[in-house]
Amino acid sequence: MSGYHHLFVPGPSNVPAAVQQAIHCPMEDHRNPTIPDLISPLVNDLKKIVLTEKGKMVFFPSSGTGCWEAALQSTLNVGDTVLGASFGQFSMLWLDMCKRLQFNTITMEEEWGTGANPESYHKELSNDKDHKIKAVLVCQNETATGVRSDVLAIRKILDDLNHPALLMVDGVSSVASYEFRMDDWGVDCIVSGSQKGLMLPAGIGILGVSPKALDAMKNSNYPTCYFDVADMIEKLDGGYLPYTPPVNLLRGMRVALDMLLEEGLENVWKRHHRLAEGTRQAIINGWGMKLCAKSPNWYSDTVSAILVPEGSDAVPVISTAFHTYNLALGAGLSKVAGKVFRIGHLGDLNELMLCSAISGAEMAMMSNGIKVELGSGVAAASKYWLDNPSGA
Ligand SMILES: *Cc1c(COP(=O)(O)O)cnc(C)c1O
């Protein structure tokens, strides 16, 4: 197919040309004496992305899921109790992992389209008088439903109750895109990955651990090997990894982090918010459609999950977009399969790129009997962006 491929799944996101070029380099000895010059500044700059000075950053040659596992196994003990809310594919899968790793898992089911409910956390934690719960899990951005949760609200509950559990956050589709503050929010483990806000190919799992999590690691009796965070920290401190790192990806990460830090983290957050708002204007005011996220407090700045009208199917819309317009929209996962399609708006992105996704989605909907006024989405988004200029 001629022309660009329009990639609008909520990860992998678009990889900037400069990052692609940095990755496209000859193989090298991963133990050569210059490797620490690459690794050590990366570890340091990742701290600026999650806003920690006190914590330690590690990365594994894995996807984000690997770091879910690394966080749990490295800090907890066999059979420990963990608490988390399930309200979409990713929050659900992390808790499913906890069960499979044989942690005693308390799952709070929330309606899909809502997020981590502070009241549910409060109830479970205040009932836990003898502090059996050792880790509290929060998925900051539920990518399946386009829902953002308030991590700080959960921190406050732990503080108010004087509850010592570790606070673990899945930030795979929020870190480097919208506000996340590891130190200020007292987060003990933050999990992320390379292929979303960090504008890289998949292949690097990222994990930040607080001093409290580091202490917990010293007492953990859970068997670990590949994902042993303490081993990784020891090697990274010397500028190497315990095994073969994806050096090319790390050269790409150097450029991607430079781009993010040059733009400024807060500006990156603002850009994502503004692009997300424009996209929501297209969906709600332009098309007259609804988001899966039930109310504005849940709206995600990195992905919008759009509900197709009752009786319509989102699957052929996604298929037409792909085959006819070279546009990749995100599919609905598990409970919302066929009910939503998703537009990812994270990473290396601007207004006009988003217009292509909005326009392509309009045409794909029309081809499949979902009636929207052609151009209405682009018009509503453009109006918002005109009225709210960047840098204002
Ligand atoms: C993408 C995603 C994951 C899974 O990450 P992988 O890199 O695919 O392993 C986990 N959580 C959230 C919120 C995600 O968006």
Side-chain angles (χ1 to χ4, degrees):
M1 218 186 255
S2 59
Y4 289 115
H5 176 58
H6 298 267
L7 180 66
F8 280 91
V9 292
S13 66
N14 294 287
V15 176
V19 176
Q20 292 183 32
Q21 281 160 11
I23 291 169
H24 188 73
C25 62
M27 295 307 114
E28 61 192 296
D29 172 11
H30 60 285
R31 303 206 190 280
N32 84 55
T34 70
I35 289 293
D37 300 338
L38 171 66
I39 303 276
S40 302
L42 287 178
V43 173
N44 203 45
D45 286 343
L46 283 171
K47 293 171 78 170
K48 300 176 190 162
I49 298 292
V50 301
L51 295 175
T52 185
E53 284 177 8
K54 296 186 264 175
K56 283 272 192 186
M57 299 304 295
V58 296
F59 41 74
F60 288 90
S62 80
S63 74
T65 303
C67 285
W68 274 353
E69 194 156 327
L72 297 166
Q73 292 183 336
S74 293
T75 57
L76 300 177
N77 285 297
V78 173
D80 271 358
T81 299
V82 304
L83 171 73
S86 170
F87 44 83
Q89 179 78 350
F90 295 97
S91 48
M92 180 176 85
L93 285 179
W94 198 10
L95 290 162
D96 184 56
M97 172 186 275
C98 292
K99 288 181 210 146
R100 290 171 68 166
L101 296 177
Q102 298 184 3
F103 294 110
N104 176 32
T105 307
I106 307 173
T107 301
M108 299 171 288
E109 298 285 347
E110 304 289 353
E111 193 183 355
W112 286 37
T114 71
N117 180 353
E119 281 170 25
S120 310
Y121 280 85
H122 187 272
K123 187 164 160 252
E124 292 292 342
L125 287 165
S126 53
N127 283 341
D128 183 39
K129 298 277 185 261
D130 38 0
H131 298 164
K132 285 215 168 64
I133 296 169
K134 301 299 179 197
V136 171
L137 275 48
V138 183
C139 178
Q140 187 186 15
N141 191 76
E142 177 48 78
T143 319
T145 54
V147 161
R148 166 193 198 141
S149 288
D150 185 352
V151 174
L152 184 57
I154 310 301
R155 169 79 268 160
K156 285 186 177 147
I157 292 167
L158 286 162
D159 288 350
D160 287 349
L161 296 171
N162 241 325
H163 199 296
L166 296 169
L167 177 58
M168 298 190 180
V169 176
D170 175 346
V172 180
S173 60
S174 48
V175 161
S177 304
Y178 67 68
E179 187 173 17
F180 175 81
R181 300 178 186 273
M182 181 165 178
D183 285 2
D184 288 355
W185 295 356
V187 172
D188 295 302
C189 296
I190 174 65
V191 174
S192 196
S194 51
Q195 78 277 23
K196 298 188 183 175
L198 288 169
M199 311 184 294
L200 287 158
I204 308 174
I206 293 157
L207 174 65
V209 285
S210 72
K212 187 168 149 188
L214 288 168
D215 275 346
M217 275 161 46
K218 292 188 195 125
N219 302 317
S220 163
N221 67 10
Y222 201 100
T224 55
C225 179
Y226 185 85
F227 284 121
D228 190 299
V229 175
D231 285 358
M232 185 55 93
I233 288 174
E234 193 191 319
K235 288 292 189 298
L236 282 176
D237 279 348
Y240 293 93
L241 270 76
Y243 32 68
T244 318
V247 176
N248 301 57
L249 290 183
L250 295 175
R251 296 229 175 264
M253 186 189 275
R254 181 63 273 152
V255 176
L257 293 182
D258 286 344
M259 289 175 73
L260 289 167
L261 295 172
E262 193 189 320
E263 185 177 353
L265 199 55
E266 303 223 345
N267 292 331
V268 172
W269 298 345
K270 276 188 203 152
R271 173 167 55 84
H272 279 81
H273 178 68
R274 188 167 165 274
L275 293 174
E277 275 293 310
T279 309
R280 289 190 280 266
Q281 291 292 321
I283 297 159
I284 298 166
N285 294 340
W287 300 338
M289 292 174 74
K290 286 201 174 104
L291 288 166
C292 182
K294 299 264 178 220
S295 55
N297 60 307
W298 301 120
Y299 289 172
S300 158
D301 280 348
T302 56
V303 51
S304 292
I306 299 128
L307 285 170
V308 295
E310 202 80 37
S312 302
D313 187 356
V315 172
V317 175
I318 295 161
S319 172
T320 302
F322 188 81
H323 291 291
T324 310
Y325 300 111
N326 208 358
L327 164 66
L329 298 169
L333 303 173
S334 68
K335 266 193 207 177
V336 288
K339 294 183 181 155
V340 306
F341 67 88
R342 293 175 296 154
I343 297 178
H345 30 79
L346 75 172
D348 186 39
L349 210 60
N350 59 32
E351 295 90 337
L352 296 189
M353 288 166 82
L354 265 167
C355 282
S356 74
I358 296 167
S359 167
E362 277 177 5
M363 292 191 281
M365 284 193 284
M366 287 295 272
S367 301
N368 289 284
I370 300 175
K371 294 209 168 46
V372 290
E373 192 181 330
L374 281 179
S376 62
V378 172
S382 309
K383 180 166 183 347
Y384 176 83
W385 289 324
L386 262 179
D387 291 347
N388 297 274
S390 62

